[in-house]
Amino acid sequence: MSERAAPFHCPYCGDEDLRPSEEGHGAWECGACNRAFRLKFLGLLARGLQRADNGGDDRI
């Protein structure tokens, strides 16, 4: 996989006015809230995501 994944919205304000930052790989800037952040892929979980299946009933 050679293409980089891009965020769809700012994790702080939710706006979509994002641009890559000059700070390096994974760094982004939000034009709406003037924040900079970095994204990093850590890896895949060995077991995957495990959820308790209670039939859709949120009560325990």
Side-chain angles (χ1 to χ4, degrees):
M1 183 173 175
S2 62
E3 294 184 33
R4 298 180 193 182
F8 294 110
H9 55 84
C10 174
Y12 298 99
C13 71
D15 201 89
E16 297 176 358
D17 184 14
L18 300 176
R19 62 186 70 86
S21 175
E22 295 179 2
E23 293 296 318
H25 179 71
W28 293 86
E29 298 173 354
C30 177
C33 68
N34 205 31
R35 287 187 170 107
F37 58 93
R38 183 177 309 273
L39 299 177
K40 181 178 179 181
F41 178 70
L42 299 176
L44 297 173
L45 299 175
R47 295 176 294 167
L49 182 62
Q50 298 189 7
R51 297 180 182 173
D53 185 15
N54 57 9
D57 189 3
D58 291 335
R59 296 174 289 160
I60 297 178

